[in-house]
Amino acid sequence: MEMRAAQGARLLTEASMNDNVYEECGKSAAAEPITKRASREEGAQKSLVIVPTKRGRTIGRTNFSGGGDMKNNMVTLKDIAERTGLSINTISRALRNKDDISEVTKKRVRAVAREMGYMHNALASSLRQGQTDTIAVIVGDISNPFFSWHVGEIERYARGCGYITYMINTEEDEALELRAIRNSLQRKVDGIIIAPSQHSIGNLLYLQENNVPFVLLSRRFRDVSMPYVIQDDRRGGYLATKHLIENGHREILAVHGPLYISSAQERLQGYEDALAEYGIRRNPDLIRGVSAIPGNCKNVANAIAGGEIPCTGAVVFNDVIALEIWYLLKKLGVRVPEDCSIVGFDNIYARFSTPYQLTSVGITANLASSTVDMLVRLIRRRKGESADIETEKVLDVKLVQGESSGRLPGGS
DNA sequence: TGAAACGAATCACGCCCTGC
DNA sequence: GCAGGGCGTGATTCGTTTCA
């Protein structure tokens, strides 16, 4: 703790600190004073500045190391006002680089702020402004690379828009999801990005009632109007199935996720579309459901290996489950793709160097940036700033050929 | 139970000083 | 004398917690 305080002191006292305590960089940088960044950076230690105030408080960067009452030790605008003999209003405006404050005064105020170890109080600022510059990202399963990848991307894009994000994992559990929503509302986030569990719509209606901007990520409710950004799941299911059909497969297994999840429903519809287009009868024995959470595919793999499911190819709900089935089949002596081709969804492993490359359906556009962009527009609209908003966005998909699928020997 | 306090920002004025 | 820049003043606001 002391080390961190010392590092902060170095950054606040050395010339490396920007002249402007609130670095001017449009919305994004204005939302994060440079002092906040200082505490994150690595640096050498340096002696601290201890400053007595008129109120008899000792202030300086050592304050954070003692485990005392931090609230009483924080340097405030009032302290700087007392020290400089200026008003609180002038201090505030000088630190925010307002035009009606002279450069001489600004420099003086910044110097005293640095000397005293002033750190912008985002909590107080949020209180006054009615915004926290934070976005909650609520997902069902962060262990799924699809979500972890996109959450990382969301964080990056949101940061570029001046927002801090925090992520909550719901384990696809409805009660945990409600708790996550309530927690986010209590923290007065400016907006929420949520991949809903979709057990029911109640949680999202609750969110809607609270009038907080939100965007559904990767999932949607057909019969209720809520902003969403999804991939074209139906077309994805169609492309995956068509790929196998055109490689000679006729007995194609559909391994779908829980059908209360819109993406699972729509991918299955796409599967059926392709079968219908090529005149292949829909066989209920070749449609199997699995949990959205990986680790429950043994039954399916055993059934394929044991001939209980007579298929030569499989369209699988997502890449994680597809890879799991591939692995299980290999252990059971079933060769992929020679004995059974597999097509996954999300094309997530194309981003990593893995021993095996799945054939998979992936998005052609950027899901994260589209989602953040929509949410930011909704937030701005709520604040009264006019903004054109497309609230239902379906991103195109394409099939990416990997090693897990191939032409059926002897197939047409 | 209700008032006060917390910290920062905002607003509407108003004053002072300087230059023309 | 006037205009305008620079800054001050005091009230108000926000949501939560503390205290009487």
Side-chain angles (χ1 to χ4, degrees), chain A residues 52-199:
Chain A
T53 72
K54 286 181 183 174
R55 287 188 278 171
R57 301 179 337 193
T58 299
I59 55 181
R61 306 302 296 171
T62 49
N63 296 326
F64 301 103
S65 63
D69 184 350
M70 196 172 86
K71 190 177 92 175
N72 287 337
N73 288 331
M74 287 287 287
V75 180
T76 68
L77 293 181
K78 190 175 178 182
D79 295 321
I80 302 170
E82 285 176 356
R83 168 66 77 87
T84 58
L86 299 168
S87 72
I88 294 173
N89 191 356
T90 300
I91 302 301
S92 171
R93 286 188 292 181
L95 292 178
R96 282 180 293 119
N97 201 26
K98 292 292 181 181
D99 291 338
D100 60 351
I101 302 296
S102 69
E103 281 304 315
V104 174
T105 303
K106 284 178 187 172
K107 276 192 174 177
R108 185 171 149 235
V109 168
R110 288 171 193 150
V112 172
R114 270 198 297 274
E115 182 193 352
M116 296 176 78
Y118 171 74
M119 184 177 285
H120 177 72
N121 187 328
L123 204 62
S125 176
S126 299
L127 191 64
R128 179 64 186 87
Q129 291 182 303
Q131 64 181 52
T132 55
D133 295 324
T134 57
I135 290 173
V137 183
I138 302 172
V139 298
D141 177 20
I142 196 63
S143 67
N144 182 336
F146 173 79
F147 285 122
S148 50
W149 173 270
H150 287 296
V151 167
E153 290 284 284
I154 285 170
E155 194 279 332
R156 194 161 65 84
Y157 284 104
R159 189 184 340 125
C161 296
Y163 290 95
I164 300 291
T165 56
Y166 74 94
M167 194 282 299
I168 308 177
N169 191 36
T170 67
E171 299 171 34
E172 300 284 1
D173 180 277
E174 194 175 11
L176 286 179
E177 182 179 84
L178 179 60
R179 185 191 282 188
I181 290 170
R182 284 196 169 136
N183 197 275
S184 303
L185 295 175
Q186 285 166 0
R187 288 168 195 277
K188 303 296 172 198
V189 296
D190 293 335
I192 295 175
I193 292 172
I194 179 170
S197 67
Q198 293 199 297
H199 290 287

Side-chain angles (χ1 to χ4, degrees), chain A residues 180-219:
Chain A
I181 290 170
R182 284 196 169 136
N183 197 275
S184 303
L185 295 175
Q186 285 166 0
R187 288 168 195 277
K188 303 296 172 198
V189 296
D190 293 335
I192 295 175
I193 292 172
I194 179 170
S197 67
Q198 293 199 297
H199 290 287
S200 75
I201 198 171
N203 288 349
L204 293 174
L205 291 176
Y206 174 72
L207 189 51
Q208 208 167 38
E209 282 167 12
N210 277 277
N211 199 29
V212 169
F214 69 95
V215 176
L216 305 187
L217 175 71
S218 188
R219 297 172 183 178

Side-chain angles (χ1 to χ4, degrees), chain A residues 236-252:
Chain A
Y238 168 80
L239 290 176
T241 312
K242 182 185 176 190
H243 165 73
L244 291 177
I245 294 170
E246 291 185 341
N247 277 284
H249 299 269
R250 288 294 180 272
E251 304 298 319
I252 300 168

Side-chain angles (χ1 to χ4, degrees), chain A residues 248-383:
Chain A
H249 299 269
R250 288 294 180 272
E251 304 298 319
I252 300 168
L253 170 68
V255 181
H256 62 78
L259 291 177
Y260 53 76
I261 296 176
S262 62
S263 55
Q265 266 179 40
E266 293 176 28
R267 287 170 192 181
L268 185 60
Q269 284 172 352
Y271 163 84
E272 293 171 341
D273 289 346
L275 293 185
E277 184 177 310
Y278 285 86
I280 300 171
R281 187 180 64 85
R282 177 184 181 278
N283 181 355
D285 292 337
L286 291 178
I287 297 176
R288 299 293 174 102
V290 294
S291 161
I293 306 282
N296 301 292
C297 301
K298 278 189 179 168
N299 289 346
V300 172
N302 286 334
I304 294 172
E308 188 187 319
I309 301 176
C311 64
T312 61
V315 174
V316 184
F317 177 51
N318 65 35
D319 282 352
V320 180
I321 296 172
L323 206 61
E324 187 181 352
I325 290 176
W326 187 354
Y327 171 72
L328 291 169
L329 287 179
K330 191 178 175 189
K331 280 177 68 179
L332 292 166
V334 178
R335 295 171 303 162
V336 174
E338 292 84 354
D339 301 328
C340 182
S341 286
I342 296 176
V343 182
F345 272 89
D346 303 331
N347 195 29
I348 202 72
Y349 293 107
R351 297 178 172 95
F352 310 105
S353 297
T354 55
Y356 309 109
Q357 285 296 319
L358 269 169
T359 298
S360 184
V361 175
I363 313 171
T364 59
N366 192 309
L367 180 66
S369 65
S370 299
T371 309
V372 170
D373 181 66
M374 185 183 290
L375 183 66
V376 168
R377 286 170 185 269
L378 288 167
I379 292 170
R380 286 179 183 162
R381 184 170 74 179
R382 189 187 180 215
K383 287 196 288 189

